[in-house]
Amino acid sequence: MIRLKKNIAVSDTGFVFDPSTGESFTVNETGMKIIGYLKEGKSSEEITSLITQEYNIDPLSFEKYSQDFMDMLKQYDMLEYEKEV
Amino acid sequence: MNKKRLILGATGLNNTDNPGPGIPVIRSIRESGRYDLRVIGLAYETLEPGIYMRDLVDKVYQVPYPSEGSDVLMERIAYIQEREGIEVLIPNFDAELFTFMKAENKLKDLGIRTFLPTIQQFEERHKSNLEAFGKKYGVKVPKSKPLTNLAEIPKLREAFDYPLMVKGKFYDAYVAYNDEQVQMHYNKISAKWGLPVIIQEFVRGTEVNVIALGDGKGKTIGAVPMRKQYITDKGKAWGGITLDNSDMLALTDKIIRGTKWRGGMELELIRTPENDLYVIEINPRIPAWVYLAVGAGQNLPVALVELALGNDVPPFTSYETGKVFVRYSWDMIIDLKDFEAISTKGEI
């Protein structure tokens, strides 16, 4: 299961800071929501369900955008993989 | 409470776009409020900005470059010592460290204490000896080769892929993409810093740094990792942020424990995309960005002073992550008489 690394700090203004690399980013409201859900340990299916309930977007379109977003988080080494028990 | 009287000597007052660490070291010690402090600045050039920072430096003497000979420099130090009674001296230039290390006993006889690396520690971490250092202490380092003449350049392709780094033995580093560029940088660097010029494998990744202080017995007194966020065209940090990185701290501990490092140190590292850490340089002194470590909770210059005074210093156990420094430039207005004093009398 993919999770956001535990030490990643996210402020309520959308400022994301990785203290191990010093990288920082700003994300928009949707990005903040996704990062928040990742921090809570929600699966990608749960995130899709939550976002599509909240915003006017169908699951297929959302997954396309969310995949890009996840790829970006991966590229910046902000994700970790947790073994399912 | 009565503050302890301290007369501190420091070099590296060149707070320019390629700053020496003298001013941030002095500032860290002064702002600690721990001492009733008098600072004696030692300057090589008359326009080193620190000479004129009278709120930080009480008295400044011009001193001869170490290249003019150790005896000339020590003669000048003895003259200054007669008048000032310096208790602790913190040299801040790579190029002068060897002279001060060699003169440690002479300085002690004059009543001046230092806390510097040993000659062996200083020598084995030289850029030209970095490969052997990596093997001895089990740390990753880029492949490197000292060059002492131009004829060796065409043979570099046998051992290195381009691009590669061309570095001076004390300062300066350039990327070269072909033999002609190596030759150009070789000429420039050797004219300024002498030989050898060091060729180093180009390791791709992010440059990160650690400031650290070793007690000379294998213990790390303090260490703070940093990533440069804004780099000048001279490669100097103009902004940086403290990191929470256990790998960098573990590597620092390993080096300090292995070498029994004595004094301040700056590790220059490259973190590869695979998260390997390569040591590209070990600077045997406190770096100019030391004030970031102080701001993050580790006043390493004060700890260094205490070690020099022979006191026990408990290791720092934490620092704040995500502290940022942003450097700036500031114009001072000075009177001609001050410039005249340092230029003609060599003191102000």
Side-chain angles (χ1 to χ4, degrees), chain B residues 272-284:
Chain B
T272 66
E274 296 76 35
N275 277 327
D276 286 326
L277 289 170
Y278 279 78
V279 177
I280 54 167
E281 269 180 45
I282 299 175
N283 294 318

Side-chain angles (χ1 to χ4, degrees), chain B residues 73-256:
Chain B
L73 177 64
M74 286 311 294
E75 212 173 283
R76 179 67 171 157
I77 299 279
Y79 166 88
I80 296 165
Q81 185 63 355
E82 262 176 42
R83 283 148 188 84
E84 302 295 346
I86 293 170
E87 293 163 274
V88 175
L89 173 66
I90 305 184
N92 289 300
F93 277 126
D94 291 5
E96 72 187 5
L97 283 176
F98 186 79
T99 307
F100 282 115
M101 281 186 283
K102 276 272 193 200
E104 189 173 353
N105 287 331
K106 278 188 200 164
L107 289 168
K108 207 183 278 172
D109 291 343
L110 291 171
I112 300 174
R113 277 166 281 198
T114 55
F115 198 74
L116 296 170
T118 63
I119 298 280
Q120 191 202 331
Q121 289 166 352
F122 180 79
E123 290 294 341
E124 68 180 6
R125 57 86 243 173
H126 260 306
K127 277 173 249 186
S128 49
N129 301 332
L130 203 58
E131 267 198 270
F133 182 93
K135 275 193 194 118
K136 183 172 176 186
Y137 297 106
V139 296
K140 288 193 172 81
V141 295
K143 188 162 59 178
S144 58
K145 178 183 169 61
L147 277 195
T148 48
N149 76 70
L150 286 166
E152 295 173 89
I153 292 174
K155 292 180 208 148
L156 287 174
R157 284 181 188 274
E158 293 166 17
F160 292 88
D161 291 326
Y162 279 102
L164 47 76
M165 297 300 298
V166 188
K167 296 186 167 189
K169 61 179 173 178
F170 295 122
Y171 299 102
D172 284 347
Y174 301 96
V175 185
Y177 291 87
N178 51 45
D179 290 6
E180 289 70 31
Q181 287 181 0
V182 174
Q183 186 171 335
M184 185 179 75
H185 298 316
Y186 176 97
N187 287 334
K188 197 169 166 184
I189 290 171
S190 58
K192 200 167 170 191
W193 300 113
L195 293 171
V197 168
I198 292 97
I199 301 297
Q200 211 175 65
E201 173 191 358
F202 182 85
V203 181
R204 283 176 208 282
T206 308
E207 188 184 333
V208 283
N209 304 66
V210 183
I211 178 175
L213 176 64
D215 73 347
K217 296 170 190 159
K219 193 161 59 179
T220 304
I221 297 297
V224 179
M226 179 274 279
R227 180 181 165 195
K228 294 175 185 176
Q229 289 183 303
Y230 189 106
I231 302 175
T232 67
D233 55 3
K234 288 198 169 87
K236 303 296 159 189
W238 206 255
I241 186 164
T242 57
L243 304 178
D244 173 15
N245 192 304
S246 53
D247 293 341
M248 290 169 72
L249 292 175
L251 176 62
T252 307
D253 270 341
K254 187 178 186 180
I255 291 171
I256 289 183

Side-chain angles (χ1 to χ4, degrees), chain B residues 43-49 51-52 62 334 339 342-344:
Chain B
Y44 293 101
E45 300 283 345
T46 52
L47 276 176
E48 291 182 25
I51 296 171
Y52 308 100
Q62 196 172 13
I334 58 169
F339 181 63
I342 192 77
S343 305
T344 57

